[in-house]
């Protein structure tokens, strides 16, 4: 039997355990822990959006301490000036100081004053702050400082906010994720919500800005108002027209309609599905022009703005010479694109951030509204507002006075906290005026003489992008043939084109695109072909009958059944069956339901032929037939003539033998041949 231990004799029980617990608590209070245990979070920000050169600048250190820390100090190093996009590693140091912060506990909100020498001139500076207690580092932080002169001249700023979500529906109409549904959710603190831009007008009434709206987003919101299905986590969820989600989609459209009527807001469209315009142009395709026209028409139809904007947003801000015509021929007056485009102008400008009139070799013209890359880099996925203002200060130090800003990534959701911090900073800055693009262009019109643009690009590396482009190429030809057959306004033509536009979305042609997104693009390319093939399959061609007429010509009649939903203009081509050039090509319009198509007076010799029925370059059917002229066309006449000739030949042969037979010798009686009957 095992020996029983006395109760309370364990190491972790009884008085010894109580003593150990008390000793541990004392050690926790006396011995300092690691920095992460003392400071849960610390951050540093400038006290004001802009600092004045020669005056004291202030920094705010905020955060929460996990426990009390004594004798805290802050070591500050200020570097600059320079451009934030180039990094501040090699910038000269303008000031170094150590500031005692005392004992810190709980919530921290401490102000550090920098000496005037820290910002010796206008421009962008970086402040690096290290907070510590003795040898323990509590936080290593940095922030940007924007320094301007005391008599800073007025600056005009146009901010463009993109509302681009990409195509989120599959060809069946089901939504593949929740992006569009969440876009219409009535939460202004959500980055993707349509209510966020509307809240800016309420929070900052004097702020003027522009919205770049993807028309395909409007179409997808419209489709949700009548009920929709959504695939989430592998399961399909149905939302009826009476569901909260469907009503929210209608509410989101109402919010955009309200913004379209606000004088402080300008709404400009992208091409319909926000395609990579440079890629389409590099392929020599014209869908960019068609998408721009459809995009403007969709925005006008859905939002019904009080005044139609003359602007457009170039997806990815990538404008090339070849895609310039997309916008010019769609009656677009000005486009928003990267200021990098100005580097490829034939004439350099003293201020590359000013609006400039540009043209291509075919005299297509638009006004370029150049977006500063310095400002865009501060508006990435998470907006760095101090860096934005530092970039503004850097540009002002270079003599710029007109600025256009837009987020760096089209598909990134807007940062609610960043937007409000930006709005608050602008409302505190008297020398910056916010304008819409139209207001800025009216205030700073470019020279009427255009400058030639010589910029090329649009090459998409990668197997997935190459595959998608090839599938788009395969769908383009049949769609063009359907346009020839059914006309521009036919319903199937519109359906096929919209499917093709979806396949051309930049969402799956951009660098680093999700393979699942690319597969969705491929499905839209297949859908475009399926629509066309379905229309052509509804046309059935019957047998051919060639009828002789005077002048050695024939009338070729063929029965065509048109089960498509619209008349079809088809080409009927007659050619020798063994190949060669067509003898005739006749165009006929086959009405719905079909009928007999007669090709009259075709001069062809006797032989075998093929009647090909085509829609553009697509062959719908090829039917053989034969032509025989005169007696060659009547076999019984040839048979009768052959019998007559054979009979005449036999009779003539017998007659000739009797006539040429030799007579009997003289004096011998002629032998008479007697025909004997049957015995």
């Amino acid at each position: 039997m095992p020996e029983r231990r006395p109760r309370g004799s364990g190491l972790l029980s009884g008085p010894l355990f109580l003593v150990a617990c008390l000793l541990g608590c004392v050690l926790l209070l006396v011995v300092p822990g690691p920095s992460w245990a003392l400071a849960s979070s610390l951050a540093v920000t400038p006290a004001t959006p802009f600092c004045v050169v020669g005056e004291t600048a202030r920094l705010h250190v905020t955060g929460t301490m996990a426990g009390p820390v004594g004798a805290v100090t802050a070591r500050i190093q200020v570097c600059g000036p320079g451009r934030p996009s180039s990094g501040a590693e090699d910038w000269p140091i303008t000031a170094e100081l150590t500031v005692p912060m005392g004992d810190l506990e709980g919530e921290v909100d401490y102000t550090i004053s920098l000496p005037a020498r820290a910002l010796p001139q206008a421009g962008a500076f970086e402040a690096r702050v290290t907070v510590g207690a003795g040898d323990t580092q509590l936080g290593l932080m940095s922030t940007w400082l924007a320094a301007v002169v005391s008599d800073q001249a007025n600056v005009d700023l146009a901010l463009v906010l993109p509302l681009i979500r990409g195509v989120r529906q599959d060809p069946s109409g089901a939504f593949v994720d929740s992006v569009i549904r969440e876009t219409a959710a009535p939460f202004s603190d959500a980055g993707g919500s349509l209510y966020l831009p509307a809240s800016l007008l309420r929070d900052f009434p004097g702020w003027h800005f522009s919205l770049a709206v993807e028309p395909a987003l409007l179409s997808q919101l419209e489709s949700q108002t009548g009920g929709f299905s959504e695939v989430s986590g592998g399961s399909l969820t149905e939302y009826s027209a009476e569901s909260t989600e469907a009503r929210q989609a209608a509410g989101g459209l109402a919010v955009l309609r309200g913004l379209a009527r606000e004088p402080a807001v300008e709404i400009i469209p992208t091409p319909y599905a926000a395609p990579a315009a440079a890629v389409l142009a590099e392929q020599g395709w014209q869908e960019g022009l068609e998408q721009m026209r459809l995009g403007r028409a969709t925005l006008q139809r859905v939002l019904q703005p009080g005044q139609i904007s003359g602007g457009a947003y170039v997806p990815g801000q990538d404008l090339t010479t070849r895609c310039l015509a997309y916008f010019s021929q769609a009656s677009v007056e000005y486009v928003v694109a990267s200021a990098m485009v100005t580097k490829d102008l034939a004439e350099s400008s003293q201020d590359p951030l000013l609006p400039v009139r540009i043209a291509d070799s075919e005299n297509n013209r638009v006004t370029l509204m150049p977006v500063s890359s310095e400002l865009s880099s501060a508006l990435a996925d998470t907006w760095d507002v101090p860096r934005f203002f530092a970039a503004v200060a850097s540009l002002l130090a270079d003599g710029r006075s007109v600025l256009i800003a837009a987020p760096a990534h089209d598909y990134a959701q807007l940062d609610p906290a960043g937007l409000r911090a930006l709005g608050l900073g602008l409302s505190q800055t008297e020398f910056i005026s916010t304008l819409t693009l139209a207001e800025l262009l009216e205030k700073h019109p470019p020279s009427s003489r255009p400058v030639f643009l010589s910029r090329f690009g649009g090459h998409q590396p990668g197997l997935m992008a190459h595959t998608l482009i090839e599938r788009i190429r395969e769908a383009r030809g049949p769609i063009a043939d359907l346009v020839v057959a059914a006309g521009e306004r036919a319903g199937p033509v519109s359906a096929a084109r919209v499917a093709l536009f979806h396949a051309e979305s930049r969402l799956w042609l951009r660098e680093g695109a999700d393979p699942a997104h690319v597969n969705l693009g491929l499905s839209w390319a297949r859908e475009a072909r399926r629509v066309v093939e379905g229309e052509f399959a509804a046309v059935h061609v019957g047998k051919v009958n060639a009828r002789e007429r005077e002048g050695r010509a024939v009338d070729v009649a063929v029965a065509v059944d048109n089960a498509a939903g619209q008349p079809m203009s088809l080409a009927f081509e007659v050619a020798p069956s063994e190949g060669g050039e067509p003898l005739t090509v006749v165009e006929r319009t086959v009405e719905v339901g079909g009928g007999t198509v007669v090709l009259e007076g075709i001069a062809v010799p006797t032989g075998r032929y093929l009647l090909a029925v085509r829609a553009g370059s697509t062959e719908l059917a090829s039917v053989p037939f034969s032509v025989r002229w005169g007696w060659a066309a009547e076999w019984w006449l040839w048979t009768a003539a052959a019998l007559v000739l054979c009979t005449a030949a036999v009779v003539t042969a017998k007659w000739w033998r009797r006539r040429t037979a030799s007579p009997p010798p003289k004096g011998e009686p002629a032998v008479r041949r007697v025909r004997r009957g049957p015995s």
Side-chain angles (χ1 to χ4, degrees), residues 250-273:
L253 288 174
V255 168
L256 285 178
R257 291 190 186 100
L259 287 173
R261 294 177 176 85
E262 286 286 347
V265 179
E266 178 186 7
I267 295 184
I268 63 174
T270 70
Y272 179 76

Side-chain angles (χ1 to χ4, degrees), residues 211-224:
L211 288 177
V213 177
E214 178 189 30
L217 170 62
L218 304 179
S219 298
Q220 292 176 97
L221 286 171
E222 272 191 320
S223 68
Q224 288 194 349

